[in-house]
Amino acid sequence: MKKDKCTKYEGLFTFADEKEFLKHIEACDDCRAEHERMLKVSALIQEVAPQIKEKRRDRAKLKLACASFGIVFCLLTLGVINLDQDVHDMIFYGQTMTVEDYGFPVDSYGLIMVD
């Protein structure tokens, strides 16, 4: 006669008090084997947990460095635009620079003069 496998482990682990749970573990071979597997898994998780935390910390540091670089880059770019009056006027007031502003020789029509 084949014995049915005990399926009470999850229910007792979740809902029973510790005393009742341990009493059942001592009496039932199926649940004892399941409990030993769970203890091994728990030990593996405890072993790996510090490395996972370290990776998360490293990722957070990298995100912070990227965000800081982006902020500094934007602030410097805006600072250069505000300090360089020609660029500032061109961007904010719609004035465009002409060929003469670049220092090219021009004729009476404003076209670049070619010899």
Side-chain angles (χ1 to χ4, degrees):
M1 183 188 307
K2 190 173 185 181
K3 181 183 166 191
D4 291 334
K5 185 175 179 182
C6 180
T7 58
K8 294 180 183 178
Y9 180 80
E10 186 177 343
L12 289 172
F13 181 79
T14 306
F15 298 111
D17 62 347
E18 188 173 351
K19 192 179 210 181
E20 183 181 345
F21 175 68
L22 292 176
K23 184 179 175 185
H24 180 75
I25 293 292
E26 290 175 9
C28 179
D29 291 334
D30 293 334
C31 291
R32 187 178 316 117
E34 182 71 21
H35 187 62
E36 288 173 5
R37 280 195 297 262
M38 289 299 153
L39 290 176
K40 288 178 184 177
V41 169
S42 179
L44 286 173
I45 290 172
Q46 294 299 322
E47 184 180 328
V48 174
Q51 285 121 1
I52 292 172
K53 287 180 184 177
E54 187 177 323
K55 279 187 177 182
R56 286 182 182 165
R57 193 177 312 118
D58 291 345
R59 232 180 252 146
K61 286 179 183 179
L62 181 62
K63 287 179 184 178
L64 179 64
C66 289
S68 299
F69 175 76
I71 290 171
V72 169
F73 179 76
C74 289
L75 290 175
L76 288 175
T77 302
L78 290 174
V80 167
I81 289 174
N82 284 332
L83 289 177
D84 191 359
Q85 197 61 36
D86 291 337
V87 174
H88 184 270
D89 290 342
M90 183 176 66
I91 292 175
F92 292 107
Y93 299 112
Q95 296 176 353
T96 57
M97 296 181 71
T98 62
V99 178
E100 285 178 306
D101 295 334
Y102 288 114
F104 293 113
V106 295
D107 59 9
S108 60
Y109 296 107
L111 302 172
I112 296 176
M113 196 170 8
V114 180
D115 291 332

